[in-house]
Amino acid sequence: MNDNGYVLRVENLDVQYHTDAGTVYANSQVSFNLKPGERLGLVGESGSGKSTLALAILGMIKPPGRIGGGEIWLENTDLVKLPEEAIRQVRGRQVSMIPQGAMNSLNPVARIKDQLIDGMIDHELGLSRSEMNRMVREALEAVELDPQVAQMYPHELSGGMKQRACIAIAIAMNPKVIIADEPTSALDVVTQRQVMQTIGHLQAQLGSAVILIGHDMGLMAQFVDRIAVMYAGKLVELGSVKDTFTHPMHPYTQMLISSLPRLENKGTFNGIPGITPLLREIPTDCVFNSRCPQAIPICMQRVPKLLEHRPNQWAACHLYQSEEN
Amino acid sequence: MRYPPAFVLKRLILLLMIVWTAATLNFFIPKLTPRNPLREKLLEDASRGGYIPPGFNEMVQGYEKKFGLDQPVWKQYLTYMGDMARFDLGYSISNFPKTVGELIGEAIPWTIGLLTVTTALAFLIGTLLGALIAWSRSPSWLNYLVAPLLTLSAIPFYLLALILIYFVAFQWKLLPLGGGYSFGIVPSFSAAFIFDVMKHAILPALSIILASTGGWAIGMRGMMVTVQGEDYMTFAEAKGLKPRRLFFRYAVRNALLPQVTGLALSLSFIVSGSVLVELVFGFPGIGTLLARSVGQLDYFLIYGIVFIIIVAIGVAMFIMDMIYPLLDPRISYE
């Protein structure tokens, strides 16, 4: 099924949360793929479904959440169809996560070393104690932490060190895909830069593909190869960083990029008026139509598909679709 | 180093201060009341005889001299503190010439035996049950246990005790009605005696366990729910850990900390016992002794028991303070 050299391929993924207040469609028809060693940025406002997508790839959607449909191919296995024990073996070993809140992502009552080793034990790598200790040392070295950190508890580390420890855990077993969920949102800009450099450096070294989730467009522009824009649970634009920043296609992306502060027009602040729609029903029209300045009649009638309108630049927008319909 | 000697010393001094304060209060509070236990006791005995003998006041003074009560208060206090330091709690009025120390010494093994076992069992069962109920991967039928556990934790010990006595001991005659051991058996370290003691302890133990398991379970369930929402649980799962490790090493381990504080508090009550359960079962422990001493206005016995309880609470707190850093690395005494 997957002989096209992609390490990860997400196909028409639907994730829903069934709550008492109704069903929330957190991801609908999300499709994208990832080459080995590629860096993909996933941007979108809060509640657009970025973290849900990350959890879905890790097989960690919990009730009341449910994967409603679609496929997630990790090389030649469809993760959606895997039983829990099999997906557990994928987590951490093949697909790993760098968590969002590094401040609280480490077990407060366990030493850093033990938190690195327990993953190795549970993945039954068949390593001896001394081999695992060596891996711990290497992982800490890789994230530029002192080997002494292994013996420390999380509360003895600074925020940046904790985030590095989390990265060490995420890369310890050479995963094929690393999902970094806003890894630097809790850090100051200096630490942020250092941490991003570490991630980039390691990723190049290990050859892992990275999905960087965030809403810092500046950070994305510097770090990723391709950028995927999510809005209200849907992927609305997907393209290279250069294309997306120079000539964004989807009106949402256009507004997102023009809202970035620039020095030449200091004092003005361009936001995007309106709010994200509640994702309570399967949309029958374009989810962005209420906020879109360029909306045309068809936007109220039909859901636009994510199509390749320019080479390697995909967008889900009727503005470019008209000639094909 | 987690226990700097200075800290341990400071904590020990605090323990001594607590005990000293308790002993001092123990000494002065009875002095505040105008009642004179010796006079009352003698009067009671005398009136039983029908008349008050002519030399009654002299007799009271004689006893006061014997107990040292004719001395100035400061001198009494020093004598008393000297006695306390040697754990000499004086004579029991109602059981004279038995000393308070002897009476407590006889009762305390019963209470400690019963309550150590029941507290430990209730803590273990309740905590594990609460953790399992809250765990998101547990089978959903476990949730049906919440209502009965809540109900049990709301029913007082002694009520459960009465229900158990009525059905198990009285109606079905499966177990003895009460007491520590059967009449006619001489206490010894024989198998027969130990078996007899166990048989007598089952119902009191069961009523305490049933009533307190619910409380532990409800508390643990609440903590587990909170812990499962923590970021480190999500990250731990993303590491691909086995469910068993997630449950014990990550969730339970962190949810346990407040439970241990609760355990420390209830351990300190092991010595004071649960008075009502002991009374209902006629169990020969400290609880029964305390109730009897109150009924008989045996001041020295009451003060002795209260003093022992305070010492026990102080010691339990000290032990807990020493154990905490081992459980939670964030606590250290440097």
Side-chain angles (χ1 to χ4, degrees):
Chain A
M1 276 288 283
N2 198 3
D3 41 28
N4 31 22
Y6 293 121
V7 61
L8 184 77
R9 199 157 56 86
V10 176
E11 203 76 52
N12 300 325
L13 184 71
D14 285 329
V15 182
Q16 294 125 26
Y17 291 98
H18 300 276
T19 66
D20 290 340
T23 304
V24 176
Y25 296 88
N27 278 179
S28 51
Q29 297 292 306
V30 174
S31 302
F32 69 91
N33 44 42
L34 202 60
K35 293 193 201 88
E38 190 184 12
R39 297 169 174 188
L40 176 72
L42 193 58
V43 295
E45 19 194 310
S46 302
S48 60
K50 308 183 299 283
S51 292
T52 297
L53 180 56
L55 289 178
I57 296 171
L58 286 158
M60 281 168 56
I61 298 288
K62 296 257 173 52
R66 196 172 67 84
I67 294 186
E71 295 159 5
I72 300 168
W73 289 90
L74 178 74
E75 293 183 332
N76 294 313
T77 26
D78 183 0
L79 302 182
V80 175
K81 292 202 182 66
L82 283 188
E84 169 58 26
E85 174 56 21
I87 186 96
R88 175 187 79 71
Q89 288 174 15
V90 170
R91 284 199 285 266
R93 178 128 169 71
Q94 305 200 50
V95 182
S96 75
M97 180 172 100
I98 298 174
Q100 188 167 16
M103 291 300 159
N104 306 311
S105 286
L106 294 164
N107 186 353
V109 296
R111 293 179 196 279
I112 301 300
K113 175 185 150 182
D114 294 326
Q115 303 195 43
L116 270 153
I117 283 182
D118 59 8
M120 300 179 197
I121 295 172
D122 278 5
H123 280 288
E124 281 146 15
L125 302 181
L127 300 171
S128 68
R129 269 279 149 186
S130 62
E131 282 174 308
M132 286 193 285
N133 284 334
R134 184 178 51 79
M135 278 176 80
V136 168
R137 224 174 23 248
E138 282 172 5
L140 291 178
E141 255 166 44
V143 294
E144 290 147 48
L145 280 177
D146 193 282
Q148 276 182 328
V149 170
Q151 300 300 330
M152 290 180 160
Y153 287 99
H155 71 277
E156 296 170 309
L157 306 180
S158 72
M161 288 164 89
K162 277 186 214 173
Q163 187 55 281
R164 280 170 192 280
C166 288
I167 296 169
I169 292 172
I171 55 111
M173 283 179 279
N174 283 352
K176 290 171 185 143
V177 178
I178 300 170
I179 301 172
D181 190 355
E182 297 183 35
T184 57
S185 56
L187 305 174
D188 64 84
V189 282
V190 178
T191 320
Q192 177 174 334
R193 179 163 168 270
Q194 292 167 348
V195 166
M196 286 318 293
Q197 275 176 347
T198 307
I199 296 179
H201 180 69
L202 282 168
Q203 179 261 349
Q205 207 176 356
L206 301 172
S208 314
V210 170
I211 300 177
L212 177 67
I213 298 177
H215 27 224
D216 185 338
M217 292 298 270
L219 187 74
M220 291 290 166
Q222 286 172 43
F223 188 78
V224 300
D225 307 320
R226 276 198 307 156
I227 199 157
V229 182
M230 277 193 93
Y231 181 78
K234 285 177 157 296
L235 219 53
V236 295
E237 179 148 1
L238 179 63
S240 74
V241 169
K242 192 157 175 281
D243 291 341
T244 311
F245 274 86
T246 50
H247 41 87
M249 297 187 78
H250 198 282
Y252 177 65
T253 321
Q254 290 169 3
M255 292 168 86
L256 208 58
I257 285 163
S258 67
S259 71
L260 290 177
R262 273 176 235 281
L263 275 179
E264 48 266 36
N265 47 6
K266 203 174 140 195
T268 54
F269 184 77
N270 300 318
I272 304 175
I275 50 159
T276 336
L278 293 169
L279 314 171
R280 287 286 160 73
E281 50 206 37
I282 298 172
T284 53
D285 52 356
C286 174
V287 282
F288 191 58
N289 59 18
S290 61
R291 297 167 82 179
C292 185
Q294 300 170 55
I296 49 175
I298 193 173
C299 299
M300 311 295 168
Q301 290 151 14
R302 226 179 291 168
V303 183
K305 285 201 181 75
L306 184 70
L307 295 169
E308 191 171 13
H309 295 295
R310 292 188 196 134
N312 290 320
Q313 198 173 4
W314 300 61
C317 184
H318 287 301
L319 291 174
Y320 307 92
Q321 226 161 301
S322 48
E323 55 256 45
E324 288 150 46
N325 287 355
Chain B
M1 174 127 145
R2 273 199 196 134
Y3 302 108
F7 171 77
V8 178
L9 194 70
K10 224 164 72 184
R11 202 59 194 71
L12 271 172
I13 291 171
L14 184 66
L15 175 63
L16 280 177
M17 293 287 283
I18 291 171
V19 172
W20 174 71
T21 311
T24 306
L25 285 175
N26 230 356
F27 175 79
F28 282 107
I29 287 175
K31 305 280 169 212
L32 296 177
T33 154
R35 296 173 70 179
N36 181 335
L38 282 171
R39 176 177 287 272
E40 282 184 23
K41 176 71 183 163
L42 291 170
L43 203 61
E44 190 193 336
D45 288 349
S47 53
R48 223 176 266 151
Y51 80 110
I52 296 173
F56 182 70
N57 280 331
E58 285 72 37
M59 195 161 87
V60 171
Q61 277 159 16
Y63 272 105
E64 281 185 340
K65 195 162 190 155
K66 187 171 163 58
F67 282 100
L69 295 179
D70 57 337
Q71 307 274 335
V73 172
W74 66 268
K75 215 166 180 181
Q76 281 184 47
Y77 179 68
L78 287 182
T79 320
Y80 165 84
M81 280 319 249
D83 290 346
M84 282 294 157
R86 281 176 279 118
F87 273 88
D88 179 357
L89 303 172
Y91 287 97
S92 158
I93 298 176
S94 58
N95 292 286
F96 191 79
K98 273 204 167 179
T99 63
V100 169
E102 276 166 18
L103 286 170
I104 292 177
E106 283 165 20
I108 229 167
W110 291 97
T111 295
I112 290 184
L114 178 70
L115 284 170
T116 311
V117 174
T118 53
T119 307
L121 275 179
F123 176 78
L124 286 177
I125 298 172
T127 301
L128 197 64
L129 215 55
L132 282 171
I133 290 172
W135 189 234
S136 56
R137 293 156 197 251
S138 295
S140 54
W141 60 261
L142 271 173
N143 273 314
Y144 293 112
L145 289 178
V146 175
L149 283 172
L150 266 175
T151 315
L152 277 178
S153 70
I155 299 177
F157 293 20
Y158 53 89
L159 212 61
L160 269 176
L162 286 173
I163 295 169
L164 285 173
I165 287 186
Y166 181 73
F167 285 105
V168 182
F170 182 69
Q171 289 281 356
W172 305 330
K173 299 192 171 22
L174 294 174
L175 290 164
L177 279 165
Y181 50 91
S182 306
F183 285 111
I185 285 194
V186 183
S188 63
F189 268 110
S190 66
F193 180 70
I194 290 171
F195 181 71
D196 190 59
V197 166
M198 299 280 259
K199 230 167 64 179
H200 281 79
I202 288 177
L203 283 187
L206 202 62
S207 56
I208 297 174
I209 291 175
L210 278 179
S212 50
T213 298
W216 292 119
I218 300 302
M220 186 64 178
R221 175 171 156 261
M223 274 315 295
M224 280 290 280
V225 169
T226 314
V227 165
Q228 281 182 87
E230 294 285 345
D231 288 340
Y232 56 78
M233 290 305 297
T234 311
F235 187 46
E237 201 189 342
K239 289 200 287 187
L241 297 182
K242 290 184 177 167
R244 173 183 277 270
R245 189 190 298 275
L246 278 178
F247 179 70
F248 284 111
R249 287 308 179 89
Y250 283 74
V252 171
R253 182 70 174 72
N254 280 289
L256 206 56
L257 300 170
Q259 291 283 102
V260 173
T261 312
L263 183 65
L265 290 174
S266 61
L267 276 182
S268 49
F269 289 106
I270 273 186
V271 175
S272 55
S274 61
V275 178
L276 288 167
V277 171
E278 288 191 4
L279 268 183
V280 169
F281 285 99
F283 196 77
I286 290 280
T288 307
L289 191 63
L290 181 62
R292 215 175 62 208
S293 65
V294 172
Q296 293 169 334
L297 215 70
D298 191 340
Y299 286 127
F300 295 117
L301 191 50
I302 299 174
Y303 300 138
I305 294 174
V306 170
F307 178 71
I308 291 290
I309 290 172
I310 291 168
V311 172
I313 294 176
V315 171
M317 291 305 180
F318 176 75
I319 293 173
M320 248 15 251
D321 269 353
M322 294 295 113
I323 289 177
Y324 263 140
L326 299 178
L327 293 174
D328 190 342
R330 284 165 293 185
I331 298 171
S332 80
Y333 298 126
E334 279 162 48

